[in-house]
Amino acid sequence: SQQGEEDPQALSIQEGENATMNCSYKTSINNLQWYRQNSGRGLVHLILIRSNEREKHSGRLRVTLDTSKKSSSLLITASRAADTASYFCRATNNAGNMLTFGGGTRLMVKP
Amino acid sequence: KAGVTQTPRYLIKTRGQQVTLSCSPISGHRSVSWYQQTPGQGLQFLFEYFSETQRNKGNFPGRFSGRQFSNSRSEMNVSTLELGDSALYLCASSASRGRDTGELFFGEGSRLTVL
């Protein structure tokens, strides 16, 4: 089964606005990772948050983790057209198996 | 440091044929995993190899197989191709030593079209 499910499936915003996408998972995790994929290309790792962390920042990215709700959110502030991509979360559990991704959120940032 | 290299980038096959895809991980990475991405099914995990051993396997039929060599390069093979096997096949490597929990580095993928 999937270890991460993103929500919403698609998001369209204007340049300069913030974009928030969510990820839910099903079991206890070791860490949760967010990736970006530009159309038809490989995924690029954005940020990793460990199960004992609640919030993490990297540039315009802010990730939160709520282990009680088994969910994480990715916030992209001051979005740019270049942020247009699909975003995936990946949760890894303590057994290290079932290396799966969710279905992704397709973000479109209009100039 | 060179990234993950996948070959070929594009290929076209016909139903019933077989295909072999190759993945060269980042130097020093011993974990290699494979994923199938299609518009309908999203990103699906195929299998993961660590030090030449298959460590995890997704829910795919036996037509999908893989292996890893002593230099960590990996290949995956799909036999008796079906139209539904048309997809982008992504390979990722990881520096994780134990049970994989770390960052994945992806190649650009091999886009397979089955006619």
Side-chain angles (χ1 to χ4, degrees), chain A residues 3-14:
Chain A
Q3 279 291 328
E5 294 291 343
E6 294 89 348
D7 168 62
Q9 289 188 330
L11 181 61
S12 181
I13 59 174
Q14 294 293 134

Side-chain angles (χ1 to χ4, degrees), chain A residues 1-3 90 93 95-100, chain B residues 31-36 43-50 53-67 75-79 99-100:
Chain A
S1 61
Q2 299 279 14
Q3 279 291 328
R90 172 187 181 237
N93 62 23
N97 55 17
M98 295 306 292
L99 311 175
T100 57
Chain B
S31 169
V32 174
S33 51
W34 289 88
Y35 301 84
Q36 180 196 64
L43 197 60
Q44 301 286 321
F45 169 71
L46 281 157
F47 26 65
E48 185 227 355
Y49 288 87
F50 182 83
T53 300
Q54 187 180 87
R55 188 160 68 173
N56 287 295
K57 189 177 188 302
N59 190 26
F60 277 81
R63 299 185 298 108
F64 292 81
S65 63
R67 60 178 176 169
E75 288 181 348
M76 67 161 284
N77 184 78
V78 187
S79 62
R99 287 290 186 181
D100 180 35

Side-chain angles (χ1 to χ4, degrees), chain B residues 59-99:
Chain B
N59 190 26
F60 277 81
R63 299 185 298 108
F64 292 81
S65 63
R67 60 178 176 169
Q68 187 180 32
F69 302 96
S70 58
N71 62 357
S72 293
R73 189 178 71 84
S74 177
E75 288 181 348
M76 67 161 284
N77 184 78
V78 187
S79 62
T80 319
L81 284 166
E82 301 176 359
L83 295 179
D85 296 333
S86 295
L88 180 66
Y89 290 88
L90 292 164
C91 164
S93 74
S94 169
S96 296
R97 293 179 182 275
R99 287 290 186 181

Side-chain angles (χ1 to χ4, degrees), chain A:
Chain A
S1 61
Q2 299 279 14
Q3 279 291 328
E5 294 291 343
E6 294 89 348
D7 168 62
Q9 289 188 330
L11 181 61
S12 181
I13 59 174
Q14 294 293 134
E15 208 165 28
E17 294 181 337
N18 295 342
T20 300
M21 53 205 85
N22 305 296
C23 170
S24 60
Y25 56 91
K26 297 176 182 175
T27 65
S28 297
I29 63 168
N30 179 285
N31 66 60
L32 189 139
Q33 303 159 24
W34 285 92
Y35 292 80
R36 182 189 73 232
Q37 183 183 33
N38 291 95
S39 182
R41 306 194 65 178
L43 281 70
V44 175
H45 179 263
L46 295 175
I47 195 165
L48 180 153
I49 187 165
R50 303 192 184 283
S51 60
N52 61 354
E53 297 176 312
R54 291 297 168 259
E55 188 171 310
K56 204 163 183 179
H57 297 254
S58 176
R60 293 184 296 111
L61 305 179
R62 173 178 168 249
V63 169
T64 60
L65 179 65
D66 188 335
T67 53
S68 66
K69 295 181 179 178
K70 292 187 169 55
S71 68
S72 173
S73 67
L74 171 67
L75 168 68
I76 304 174
T77 60
S79 63
R80 305 166 182 169
D83 295 328
T84 294
S86 291
Y87 292 82
F88 295 86
C89 68
R90 172 187 181 237
T92 66
N93 62 23
N94 291 317
N97 55 17
M98 295 306 292
L99 311 175
T100 57
F101 289 80
T105 292
R106 294 187 307 280
L107 173 66
M108 175 173 287
V109 181
K110 300 175 184 177

Side-chain angles (χ1 to χ4, degrees), chain B residues 11-19 63 78-86 112-115:
Chain B
L11 66 166
I12 299 173
K13 294 284 187 179
T14 57
R15 280 180 298 175
Q17 287 187 311
Q18 72 165 14
V19 65
R63 299 185 298 108
V78 187
S79 62
T80 319
L81 284 166
E82 301 176 359
L83 295 179
D85 296 333
S86 295
L112 170 66
T113 301
V114 182
L115 301 176

